[in-house]
Each structure stands twice: as C-alpha cells, then as structure tokens.
Amino acid sequence: MTDETGLAVGADGRARCFWGGSTPDYVGYHDTEWGQPLRGDDALFERMSLEAFQSGLSWITILRKRPAFRAAFDGFQIDKVAAFSEADATRLMADAGIVRNRMKVDATLHNARVAADLPDGLSALLWSFAPQPRPPRPATRGDVPAITPESIALAKALKKLGFKFVGPTTAYALMQATGMVDDHLAGCWVAPIEA
C-alpha cells in the first residue's frame, strides 16, 4: 500500500519509492542499483541501450531480460558492439531472450559506433549534464519530473552527435537510473549517496 507521498512499506518494514516494492526484482533493483552513481563508458552504454529498449514497455520487462541482453550484446562493450555486422543484427532479431525491435537493435549498434568515436568517452559526456549542485530528493511522487532542463539539453547534445532513441524522457530515466540525479523519495530507506 502506497501512502500519500508515494512511499510503499514492504514486508520487511522498509519504506521504498512507490514502484520499488511491487516485485522481488524491483526490490533488488531499487535497493541496490537504481539511483546509485554509475560511471564507465561500457556500463553507461548498457544503461543507455536498455533505456532505449524500454521505450514503450515496462521496465520490469527489460530488467528480467537483462541477462539475455548482456549475452546478446557482448556485455555492452562499446568496441565489440560497434563492430557488429548485419549478420549480428539478424542474429539479434532471432533472439527470443531480448526485445526484438529492429529499430531499437539498429539504434543500439549505431549508438555504439557513435560512442566509440567520442574523444572523451561516453561517461564524461553524460555526466557533464548532471545538475550541480545535486537537487534534493523529491518529497512526493508528484514531485518527480519526467524531464528536466538538463535531460532536454542532454537529449539535444546526444542527437546532435548522432545518437538515436535518446529523447528527453529517456535521457532523464537514464539520469535517474545512473545516479546523475537522486529521485528516491525523501522518506525512502535507501541512503543518499554523493555523486
């Protein structure tokens, strides 16, 4: 049951963000991964790619398929994915373990090639859009934005560089998931971490 702020108290007595306690998969993801600062080009490429695959779907679908995505995309190592061929794209489209959407598959391969050519790397680029100072945690579910000026600017910069499937909403979801912002609700049991 969710309270008026958007917190849900789990069977373990911990107050979590409204979405974070609905399934065991979400509990683990919410408590140990979501909103934790993540750096590294390949790690962020994975998250960017999965956020793009999530577009139009539930995150739980992507989360449950993440091991298959990692296997199919060579651990999201940018250099390896950038070298994928048309035969690899065909193989991916036949892989029932992942989301088989040709536009998203092609975008992931294309984005790896763009990321591989970034002079300072993907991590430096993405983190350059993290708001400074870091905004306080939202008080209620209604205070959690879908987009921000920073996510709009990030999406524009990524598109200008040639990235695909990186609109402002996807960019903000990426920022939330990787700790560029901390959108755990103020009363959530997960302790704030400095970015």
Side-chain angles (χ1 to χ4, degrees):
M1 183 58 86
T2 305
D3 71 12
E4 66 278 353
T5 67
L7 291 170
V9 178
D12 59 4
R14 291 179 167 166
R16 291 180 176 84
C17 303
F18 58 95
W19 61 271
S22 60
T23 71
D25 293 321
Y26 271 161
V27 170
Y29 178 69
H30 170 273
D31 290 1
T32 64
E33 194 173 345
W34 189 78
Q36 303 298 313
L38 180 69
R39 297 183 190 270
D41 291 349
D42 292 341
L44 286 165
F45 175 67
E46 175 186 346
R47 294 296 184 81
M48 174 190 280
S49 300
L50 294 179
E51 291 293 346
F53 273 103
Q54 185 271 329
S55 182
L57 302 171
S58 169
W59 178 247
I60 195 71
T61 301
I62 303 303
L63 190 59
R64 289 176 175 160
K65 289 179 175 280
R66 185 163 60 170
F69 272 109
R70 286 175 171 166
F73 285 95
D74 277 339
F76 288 96
Q77 295 174 67
I78 292 171
D79 290 341
K80 287 187 176 184
V81 179
F84 276 19
S85 66
E86 179 60 31
D88 290 301
T90 301
R91 170 186 57 82
L92 291 165
M93 288 303 297
D95 188 339
I98 67 169
V99 173
R100 294 178 287 179
N101 176 304
R102 186 61 193 237
M103 288 177 60
K104 293 176 182 180
V105 166
D106 288 347
T108 302
L109 305 188
H110 173 82
N111 288 349
R113 294 175 190 117
V114 175
D117 288 338
L118 293 173
D120 297 321
L122 185 61
S123 185
L125 173 66
L126 296 177
W127 275 92
S128 73
F129 288 89
Q132 297 296 327
R134 198 170 187 180
R137 285 182 160 185
T140 70
R141 178 180 184 172
D143 296 328
V144 179
I147 60 171
T148 63
E150 293 85 2
S151 76
I152 293 168
L154 173 56
K156 285 181 181 177
L158 290 171
K159 285 182 182 180
K160 186 174 181 180
L161 289 167
F163 285 94
K164 298 179 180 180
F165 271 94
V166 289
T169 303
T170 299
Y172 194 66
L174 176 66
M175 295 173 88
Q176 290 174 306
T178 60
M180 294 176 205
V181 296
D182 181 359
D183 275 353
H184 282 282
L185 298 179
C188 181
W189 85 271
V190 175
I193 293 178
E194 291 300 317

Short mmCIF file of all heavy atoms in Angstrom, two decimals, residues 4 6 9 14 41 54 61-62 72-73 78 80 82 94 112 131 149 151-152 156-157 159 172 175 179 193:
data_model
loop_
_atom_site.label_atom_id
_atom_site.label_comp_id
_atom_site.label_asym_id
_atom_site.label_seq_id
_atom_site.Cartn_x
_atom_site.Cartn_y
_atom_site.Cartn_z
N GLU A 4 0.43 8.75 0.94
CA GLU A 4 0.14 9.96 0.14
C GLU A 4 1.40 10.55 -0.48
O GLU A 4 1.32 11.30 -1.46
CB GLU A 4 -0.59 11.00 0.99
CG GLU A 4 0.22 11.58 2.15
CD GLU A 4 0.24 10.69 3.40
OE1 GLU A 4 -0.47 9.67 3.45
OE2 GLU A 4 1.00 11.02 4.32
N GLY A 6 3.86 8.68 -1.76
CA GLY A 6 4.32 7.77 -2.80
C GLY A 6 5.26 6.71 -2.26
O GLY A 6 5.90 6.01 -3.03
N VAL A 9 5.54 0.70 2.09
CA VAL A 9 6.26 -0.05 3.11
C VAL A 9 6.15 -1.52 2.78
O VAL A 9 5.05 -2.07 2.65
CB VAL A 9 5.71 0.25 4.52
CG1 VAL A 9 6.45 -0.59 5.56
CG2 VAL A 9 5.85 1.74 4.84
N ARG A 14 10.54 -1.71 5.41
CA ARG A 14 11.27 -0.59 4.81
C ARG A 14 10.37 0.20 3.87
O ARG A 14 9.67 -0.37 3.04
CB ARG A 14 12.49 -1.09 4.05
CG ARG A 14 13.56 -1.64 4.96
CD ARG A 14 14.74 -2.14 4.17
NE ARG A 14 15.87 -2.37 5.07
CZ ARG A 14 16.95 -3.05 4.73
NH1 ARG A 14 17.04 -3.56 3.51
NH2 ARG A 14 17.92 -3.22 5.59
N ASP A 41 32.31 3.93 -19.43
CA ASP A 41 31.69 4.02 -20.75
C ASP A 41 30.80 2.82 -21.07
O ASP A 41 29.65 2.98 -21.50
CB ASP A 41 32.77 4.16 -21.83
CG ASP A 41 33.48 5.50 -21.77
OD1 ASP A 41 33.03 6.41 -21.05
OD2 ASP A 41 34.50 5.64 -22.48
N GLN A 54 13.56 -0.04 -23.46
CA GLN A 54 12.40 0.06 -22.58
C GLN A 54 11.31 0.96 -23.15
O GLN A 54 10.13 0.80 -22.82
CB GLN A 54 12.83 0.58 -21.20
CG GLN A 54 11.73 0.60 -20.17
CD GLN A 54 10.94 1.90 -20.15
OE1 GLN A 54 11.46 2.96 -20.45
NE2 GLN A 54 9.68 1.81 -19.80
N THR A 61 10.06 -5.64 -17.71
CA THR A 61 10.32 -6.49 -18.86
C THR A 61 11.81 -6.47 -19.21
O THR A 61 12.43 -7.51 -19.43
CB THR A 61 9.48 -6.04 -20.08
OG1 THR A 61 8.11 -6.11 -19.72
CG2 THR A 61 9.76 -6.88 -21.30
N ILE A 62 12.38 -5.27 -19.24
CA ILE A 62 13.79 -5.11 -19.58
C ILE A 62 14.67 -5.68 -18.47
O ILE A 62 15.65 -6.38 -18.73
CB ILE A 62 14.12 -3.63 -19.83
CG1 ILE A 62 13.23 -3.06 -20.96
CG2 ILE A 62 15.60 -3.44 -20.14
CD1 ILE A 62 13.30 -3.79 -22.28
N ALA A 72 23.58 -11.25 -25.46
CA ALA A 72 23.39 -10.97 -26.89
C ALA A 72 24.27 -9.83 -27.39
O ALA A 72 24.71 -9.83 -28.54
CB ALA A 72 21.92 -10.65 -27.16
N PHE A 73 24.53 -8.85 -26.51
CA PHE A 73 25.29 -7.66 -26.90
C PHE A 73 26.71 -7.66 -26.30
O PHE A 73 27.28 -6.59 -26.06
CB PHE A 73 24.54 -6.39 -26.49
CG PHE A 73 23.36 -6.08 -27.37
CD1 PHE A 73 22.09 -6.50 -27.02
CD2 PHE A 73 23.52 -5.36 -28.54
CE1 PHE A 73 20.99 -6.20 -27.82
CE2 PHE A 73 22.43 -5.05 -29.35
CZ PHE A 73 21.16 -5.48 -28.99
N ILE A 78 31.40 -1.39 -25.76
CA ILE A 78 31.19 -0.48 -26.89
C ILE A 78 31.96 -0.92 -28.12
O ILE A 78 31.40 -0.99 -29.22
CB ILE A 78 31.54 0.97 -26.49
CG1 ILE A 78 30.53 1.49 -25.46
CG2 ILE A 78 31.57 1.88 -27.72
CD1 ILE A 78 30.89 2.82 -24.82
N LYS A 80 33.09 -3.81 -29.05
CA LYS A 80 32.56 -5.05 -29.64
C LYS A 80 31.24 -4.80 -30.36
O LYS A 80 31.04 -5.27 -31.48
CB LYS A 80 32.40 -6.12 -28.57
CG LYS A 80 33.72 -6.70 -28.11
CD LYS A 80 33.51 -7.88 -27.19
CE LYS A 80 34.85 -8.49 -26.83
NZ LYS A 80 34.69 -9.71 -26.02
N ALA A 82 30.14 -1.98 -31.53
CA ALA A 82 30.39 -1.11 -32.69
C ALA A 82 30.82 -1.92 -33.91
O ALA A 82 30.59 -1.50 -35.05
CB ALA A 82 31.45 -0.06 -32.35
N ALA A 94 16.57 -12.66 -34.04
CA ALA A 94 16.09 -14.03 -33.84
C ALA A 94 16.19 -14.47 -32.37
O ALA A 94 15.77 -15.57 -32.03
CB ALA A 94 16.89 -14.99 -34.72
N ALA A 112 26.59 2.51 -30.53
CA ALA A 112 27.91 2.01 -30.13
C ALA A 112 28.99 2.62 -31.01
O ALA A 112 30.07 2.99 -30.52
CB ALA A 112 27.95 0.48 -30.23
N PRO A 131 23.06 17.74 -12.98
CA PRO A 131 22.88 19.06 -12.38
C PRO A 131 23.81 19.26 -11.18
O PRO A 131 24.01 18.37 -10.38
CB PRO A 131 21.41 19.07 -11.96
CG PRO A 131 21.00 17.65 -11.90
CD PRO A 131 21.88 16.90 -12.85
N PRO A 149 15.38 20.46 -17.50
CA PRO A 149 16.20 21.20 -18.47
C PRO A 149 17.49 20.45 -18.81
O PRO A 149 17.93 20.47 -19.97
CB PRO A 149 16.50 22.52 -17.74
CG PRO A 149 15.32 22.71 -16.82
CD PRO A 149 14.96 21.32 -16.36
N SER A 151 17.91 17.13 -18.85
CA SER A 151 17.65 15.99 -19.73
C SER A 151 17.31 16.45 -21.14
O SER A 151 17.66 15.78 -22.11
CB SER A 151 16.54 15.09 -19.17
OG SER A 151 15.25 15.63 -19.34
N ILE A 152 16.69 17.60 -21.26
CA ILE A 152 16.41 18.17 -22.58
C ILE A 152 17.74 18.52 -23.27
O ILE A 152 17.96 18.20 -24.43
CB ILE A 152 15.49 19.40 -22.48
CG1 ILE A 152 14.10 18.97 -22.00
CG2 ILE A 152 15.42 20.15 -23.80
CD1 ILE A 152 13.19 20.12 -21.58
N LYS A 156 19.37 16.74 -26.63
CA LYS A 156 19.76 17.54 -27.80
C LYS A 156 21.22 17.29 -28.16
O LYS A 156 21.56 17.14 -29.34
CB LYS A 156 19.52 19.03 -27.53
CG LYS A 156 18.07 19.43 -27.59
CD LYS A 156 17.92 20.93 -27.34
CE LYS A 156 16.46 21.32 -27.36
NZ LYS A 156 16.26 22.75 -27.06
N ALA A 157 22.08 17.26 -27.15
CA ALA A 157 23.50 17.04 -27.41
C ALA A 157 23.74 15.65 -27.99
O ALA A 157 24.53 15.48 -28.93
CB ALA A 157 24.30 17.22 -26.12
N LYS A 159 21.59 13.77 -29.68
CA LYS A 159 21.08 13.73 -31.05
C LYS A 159 22.01 14.45 -32.02
O LYS A 159 22.24 13.99 -33.14
CB LYS A 159 19.67 14.33 -31.10
CG LYS A 159 18.63 13.40 -30.52
CD LYS A 159 17.24 13.99 -30.62
CE LYS A 159 16.23 13.05 -29.99
NZ LYS A 159 14.87 13.57 -30.04
N TYR A 172 16.22 11.45 -19.17
CA TYR A 172 16.01 11.64 -17.74
C TYR A 172 15.94 10.30 -17.00
O TYR A 172 16.48 10.16 -15.91
CB TYR A 172 14.77 12.48 -17.44
CG TYR A 172 14.79 12.93 -15.99
CD1 TYR A 172 15.78 13.80 -15.55
CD2 TYR A 172 13.88 12.43 -15.08
CE1 TYR A 172 15.85 14.18 -14.22
CE2 TYR A 172 13.95 12.81 -13.74
CZ TYR A 172 14.93 13.69 -13.32
OH TYR A 172 15.02 14.05 -11.99
N MET A 175 19.39 9.35 -16.42
CA MET A 175 19.97 10.15 -15.34
C MET A 175 19.52 9.63 -13.98
O MET A 175 20.32 9.56 -13.03
CB MET A 175 19.61 11.62 -15.53
CG MET A 175 20.21 12.25 -16.77
SD MET A 175 19.62 13.93 -17.06
CE MET A 175 20.84 14.84 -16.09
N GLY A 179 22.21 7.58 -11.20
CA GLY A 179 22.60 8.43 -10.10
C GLY A 179 23.08 9.81 -10.46
O GLY A 179 23.65 10.51 -9.62
N ILE A 193 23.53 9.04 -1.63
CA ILE A 193 24.96 8.86 -1.91
C ILE A 193 25.41 10.07 -2.74
O ILE A 193 24.72 10.49 -3.66
CB ILE A 193 25.21 7.56 -2.71
CG1 ILE A 193 24.88 6.35 -1.84
CG2 ILE A 193 26.64 7.48 -3.20
CD1 ILE A 193 25.04 5.03 -2.53
#
